[in-house]
Amino acid sequence: MSDRARVVGKCVMMCPEKERVRREKERRLSVFEVATVQDGKPRTSAHLAVKEYVRAGAGHEFPEANELRPPPVLVQTVDHLIRNVADRQDHPWSVVYSFINDRIQAIRQDATYQQLECSELEHILELSIRFYLYSQYKLYCCSLDTFDPKLNMVQLQQCLVKLLRCPTVREDSLEEFQSYYLLINLGSTEAVSEIVNQIPNWQHSLPLKLAVSVSVSFMDNNFVRFFRLAKQLSGLQQCALLPYISTIRRRALETLCTAYSSRNNPFPVRLLQQWLAFQDIDTTAEFCRQHNVEMQGENIVFRKGTIMCSQTLTPTDCTIHEWTHKSLKPSTICSSSD
């Protein structure tokens, strides 16, 4: 593709007319693209139809200019997805996610075909990153058939790396997304070193200072400090932590089984709840039982050498609500002020 002359997209609609007509005829419209139903047939419009992602493979023809959307239309498209679709309450959010994820990939594909500069994609990448972070929180409890967190993380990492390589990102935005980079790569000494060594004034940035401190706490297995700092993070920063919560809680139990190993010195379950930021005592006790840690009423009996079960709690015990005292909403994607 790099050997080709740069193509300038000429499609002024969110979906090329040829595709819109074809998918309408084939009845392959998403529920979010249907404007009306005439004679039992779903109909769409130029204001609702959004170009779908088509995986490029062997024999795949390079699209014509009139099938590619220029930067202003790509920006208009991502704004439509986030502002008009992400907030829909009439369908499960897993359905919303599937549609927006597909269309964001199509947006990025159009950008690749046109060899667009990252400066032309800043807004698109910023909304995409927040969308994937929010989705990690919103769908974290879903089955793999509904939501694949690994594939979501791949999309998130790709968008994040591309944005952080862009030299024109505003300083306040850069700090926000650098903090996400640290938190989704939690415990990475390379990620921490990169921020500390390349950003002289990182300690003056609250998002970066907190993210570095959380990462160091994770590496040190200082679980009490980890959760105390985690409560100070923004909602989207906390979303980035979700895949690591079960890990540090499990490591905490392993540490406590050694440090407080005594049948005559029971450990109050309420204290563990506070240390590990569980929602309630029942959830804390269940977590202990699933890891073969003995419970005696409202106390825990830690014993050295306790076999830790590989099974973990469902992620309902590590929702963001217990830290922020409010639910995150799709509108969070539009702004970092959450």
Side-chain angles (χ1 to χ4, degrees):
M1 191 179 299
S2 59
D3 296 333
R4 287 178 172 269
R6 181 172 177 177
V7 178
V8 178
K10 296 182 179 179
C11 178
V12 297
M13 297 176 289
M14 294 190 296
C15 181
E17 183 178 5
K18 182 179 178 181
E19 177 189 324
R20 188 175 79 245
V21 172
R22 172 174 52 80
R23 288 203 289 117
E24 187 177 76
K25 182 178 180 180
E26 295 173 352
R27 297 195 177 192
R28 290 200 306 106
L29 297 175
S30 163
V31 292
F32 306 113
E33 298 176 306
V34 176
T36 60
V37 177
Q38 298 176 4
D39 300 324
K41 298 179 180 179
R43 303 293 185 185
T44 187
S45 71
H47 302 293
L48 292 177
V50 182
K51 183 178 181 179
E52 66 179 358
Y53 174 70
V54 178
R55 187 179 300 276
H60 180 75
E61 295 184 0
F62 195 93
E64 301 292 333
N66 60 7
E67 297 177 299
L68 297 174
R69 298 159 293 180
V73 180
L74 295 179
V75 170
Q76 172 195 347
T77 304
V78 77
D79 281 341
H80 165 73
L81 293 172
I82 300 304
R83 299 181 188 280
N84 300 329
V85 181
D87 210 19
R88 290 279 293 265
Q89 304 292 321
D90 52 339
H91 294 279
W93 217 84
S94 57
V95 177
V96 174
Y97 170 82
S98 180
F99 177 75
I100 296 180
N101 176 43
D102 178 89
R103 273 36 178 193
I104 284 180
Q105 291 187 66
I107 290 172
R108 294 173 56 208
Q109 189 177 55
D110 272 18
T112 300
Y113 281 132
Q114 297 174 79
Q115 302 177 42
L116 297 181
E117 300 292 335
C118 61
S119 58
E120 301 175 279
L121 302 173
E122 281 182 38
H123 180 70
I124 293 169
L125 291 171
E126 288 183 1
L127 291 187
S128 298
I129 291 165
R130 295 190 190 122
F131 165 74
Y132 287 120
L133 282 172
Y134 177 79
S135 300
Q136 185 163 269
Y137 150 75
K138 188 71 175 178
L139 300 175
Y140 196 53
C141 299
C142 293
S143 65
L144 286 176
D145 295 336
T146 303
F147 173 71
D148 190 329
K150 291 186 178 179
L151 293 180
N152 185 76
M153 182 59 71
V154 168
Q155 298 299 322
L156 172 57
Q157 289 271 26
Q158 288 177 353
C159 292
L160 195 50
V161 168
K162 190 172 186 65
L163 180 67
L164 293 181
R165 289 176 178 171
C166 184
T168 58
V169 181
R170 302 185 319 274
E171 184 176 352
D172 57 338
S173 290
L174 187 60
E175 292 173 355
E176 174 194 350
F177 292 99
Q178 285 170 330
S179 75
Y180 297 153
Y181 175 75
L182 280 170
L183 294 171
I184 66 175
N185 294 288
L186 201 65
S188 167
T189 54
E190 291 81 6
V192 173
S193 297
E194 185 177 341
I195 295 298
V196 172
N197 294 331
Q198 294 184 9
I199 306 175
N201 297 321
W202 66 270
Q203 290 179 311
H204 299 295
S205 164
L206 181 58
L208 286 179
K209 185 177 180 179
L210 271 175
V212 169
S213 298
V214 169
S215 188
V216 171
S217 297
F218 183 82
M219 288 187 282
D220 292 343
N221 195 29
N222 189 338
F223 47 87
V224 176
R225 184 168 186 261
F226 174 90
F227 282 106
R228 186 174 68 246
L229 292 171
K231 294 178 182 179
Q232 301 175 39
L233 296 172
S234 72
L236 285 177
Q237 286 179 315
Q238 291 172 344
C239 290
L241 288 184
L242 277 178
Y244 299 96
I245 299 302
S246 291
T247 298
I248 194 164
R249 283 173 169 166
R250 188 164 55 249
R251 280 165 38 181
L253 282 187
E254 292 170 348
T255 300
L256 293 171
C257 278
T258 299
Y260 290 90
S261 179
S262 173
R263 179 170 291 276
N264 298 323
N265 187 25
F267 190 93
V269 66
R270 185 174 295 278
L271 182 57
L272 186 67
Q273 176 199 351
Q274 295 172 0
W275 280 3
L276 303 187
F278 278 104
Q279 189 171 0
D280 51 47
I281 289 179
D282 290 340
T283 307
T284 312
E286 180 62 21
F287 183 81
C288 290
R289 281 190 288 266
Q290 289 191 358
H291 289 79
N292 283 349
V293 176
E294 183 181 346
M295 298 294 304
Q296 287 186 354
E298 294 187 355
N299 293 315
I300 307 168
V301 179
F302 289 118
R303 285 187 292 175
K304 189 180 299 185
T306 298
I307 299 175
M308 306 303 289
C309 179
S310 59
Q311 179 186 11
T312 58
L313 282 179
T314 56
T316 51
D317 67 305
C318 48
T319 57
I320 301 301
H321 309 302
E322 64 194 69
W323 292 342
T324 61
H325 307 293
K326 61 180 180 180
S327 298
L328 289 176
K329 298 179 180 179
S331 57
T332 304
I333 302 170
C334 298
S335 172
S336 62
S337 57
D338 54 0

